[in-house]
DNA sequence: AAATCCATGTAAGACGTTACATGATTTG
DNA sequence: CAAATCATGTAACGTCTTACATGGATTT
């Protein structure tokens, strides 16, 4: 289960509360793993009961107290064990691709808006990643040289950037295909004036 | 739930048994959605009980009988409804990226073998996709012109090909980063002969 | 006054994985 | 004769998602 390990890595990078972890999963860690706060709270509890984490109650003024979790030695050891185990290359689950193949049995043109919406979302993510890259790794305020942890974070971020660029190019390809098919649909072999069923 | 819809699309493309679907999920549909035979049998039963599918018992000689499922009108309607609903752009779950970030707290060089193994798997998938593309869409035996369904299958396959190419390039980047870090680890600022802790 | 943020949680249900089970036929 | 292929399923368990619930502080 990689959620355990993703949480351990994130807490090693910086201790924090369940709420803070949930925010990180919307940002940097979220580039490659998603989780909701419900999942996170459950796993934090389990990892603490297993001794992998320690908690510290942090009272706050004007805010609910928070529980700050840190990685304990057994947690670090469990992570290290996992790092040395081989894992399966992941398999995709891509709803949009199911839709595209399904469109053959419906109206392909009806998918155009949906694909354009996905295009916008991915363009937004790319812009966000590029901003983060400039801020943390390649801009004038970035540390020089980067330490090992930062180099590794950077190469993961480059993966996210490459993924978004590839996806955007593919969505352009999909849009071109859908446009071709819908203009083709109006035409029979003899030309625009041909009879239709 | 996209497994329902992936099964409906696959059965619209060609009716078949649970076993045959499981094989397809290892191949063409599996480019973008995975499922095991246990999941498939459960969903087939449910879809049939809901009236979305019809079954036909096909006796076979020297083999267990099979149940051939086809999509009924309510199933087609359910698929069409889903096609017109917006879906969320998917979020990644990439174990290897978790490992790469985790490597900062362990030995980055220990990841090299694992990354090379993933590289090989993705290279194999790419070769497999390219073979399929040549056979079905771009080679001399492919139909000309392709119909709408084939064009849509092809654009999805192009997505799989782009994904594998992007991933392979990224894994090269990861390997270069890991090699740089492990050669750097042996060196202190003053050069190879510097003292170590 | 309403919405959003911080901060934590419970509960129910859907979904997915792994292991187990059967049995004939074909291939090596 | 052993292993793989075809074909279907059950059971148990683990994970993930969605909805519900609370309550003060801050922002609009």
């Amino acid at each position: 289960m990689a959620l355990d390990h993703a949480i351990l890595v994130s807490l090693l990078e910086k201790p924090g509360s369940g709420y803070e972890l949930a925010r990180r999963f919307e940002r940097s860690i979220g580039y490659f793993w998603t989780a909701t706060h419900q999942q996170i709270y459950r796993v934090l509890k389990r990892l603490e009961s297993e001794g992998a984490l320690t908690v510290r109650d942090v009272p706050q003024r004007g805010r609910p107290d928070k529980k700050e979790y840190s990685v304990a030695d057994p947690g670090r050891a469990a992570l290290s064990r996992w790092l040395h185990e081989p894992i399966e290359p992941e398999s995709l689950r891509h709803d949009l691709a199911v839709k595209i193949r399904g469109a053959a049995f419906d109206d392909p043109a009806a998918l155009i808006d949906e694909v354009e919406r996905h295009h916008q979302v991915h363009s937004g993510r790319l812009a966000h990643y590029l901003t983060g890259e400039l801020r943390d790794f390649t801009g004038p305020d970035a540390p020089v040289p980067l330490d090992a942890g930062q180099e590794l974070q950077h190469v993961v971020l480059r993966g996210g950037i490459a993924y978004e660029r590839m996806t955007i190019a593919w969505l352009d390809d999909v849009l071109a295909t859908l446009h071709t098919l819908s203009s083709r649909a109006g035409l029979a072999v003899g030309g625009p004036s041909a009879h239709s069923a």
Side-chain angles (χ1 to χ4, degrees), chain A:
Chain A
M1 223 265 291
L3 177 54
D4 291 32
H5 307 294
I7 286 176
L8 288 171
V9 170
S10 189
L11 289 178
L12 278 169
E13 287 174 357
K14 192 170 192 303
S17 69
Y19 189 85
E20 283 162 3
L21 278 172
R23 317 238 62 200
R24 291 185 212 171
F25 273 90
E26 285 167 13
R27 310 168 137 268
S28 77
I29 303 279
Y31 301 160
F32 50 83
W33 203 269
T34 54
T36 61
H37 77 275
Q38 290 86 346
Q39 274 175 275
I40 292 166
Y41 284 123
R42 217 178 326 131
V43 172
L44 284 174
K45 247 181 211 171
R46 200 191 66 237
L47 290 178
E48 196 224 325
S49 78
E50 290 169 5
L53 300 177
T54 54
V55 207
R56 196 169 62 92
D57 258 63
V58 181
Q60 304 196 117
R61 289 191 308 171
R63 296 211 172 149
D65 295 356
K66 67 178 180 182
K67 299 183 185 172
E68 196 185 72
Y69 290 90
S70 310
V71 179
D73 281 347
R76 201 179 253 266
L79 180 65
S80 174
R81 245 177 287 126
W82 178 71
L83 287 172
H84 289 268
E85 271 167 24
I87 51 170
E88 285 298 299
E90 39 275 306
S91 20
L92 288 179
R93 298 220 156 162
H94 207 306
D95 300 63
L96 189 59
V98 179
K99 277 200 171 191
I100 291 166
R101 271 175 82 151
F105 305 96
D106 204 80
D107 176 19
L111 261 182
I112 290 174
D113 285 355
E114 173 88 335
V115 175
E116 276 170 353
R117 202 170 51 81
H118 283 243
H119 194 285
Q120 274 175 29
V121 170
H122 286 284
S123 299
R125 283 189 198 165
L126 175 60
H128 180 236
Y129 291 179
L130 289 172
T131 304
E133 187 183 38
L134 206 62
R135 183 189 60 233
D136 297 332
F137 303 117
T138 56
D141 297 339
V144 178
L146 301 175
D147 66 28
Q150 288 160 342
E151 291 286 4
L152 292 169
Q153 286 185 25
H154 189 197
V155 78
V156 168
L157 179 54
R158 290 200 297 272
I161 289 168
Y163 177 78
E164 297 303 334
R165 287 207 167 113
M166 179 280 297
T167 301
I168 290 165
W170 177 63
L171 291 174
D172 284 332
D173 186 7
V174 172
L175 280 173
T177 304
L178 291 175
H179 283 298
T180 304
L181 288 178
S182 46
S183 64
R184 198 204 272 182
L187 307 171
V189 185
S193 62
H195 56 103
S196 64

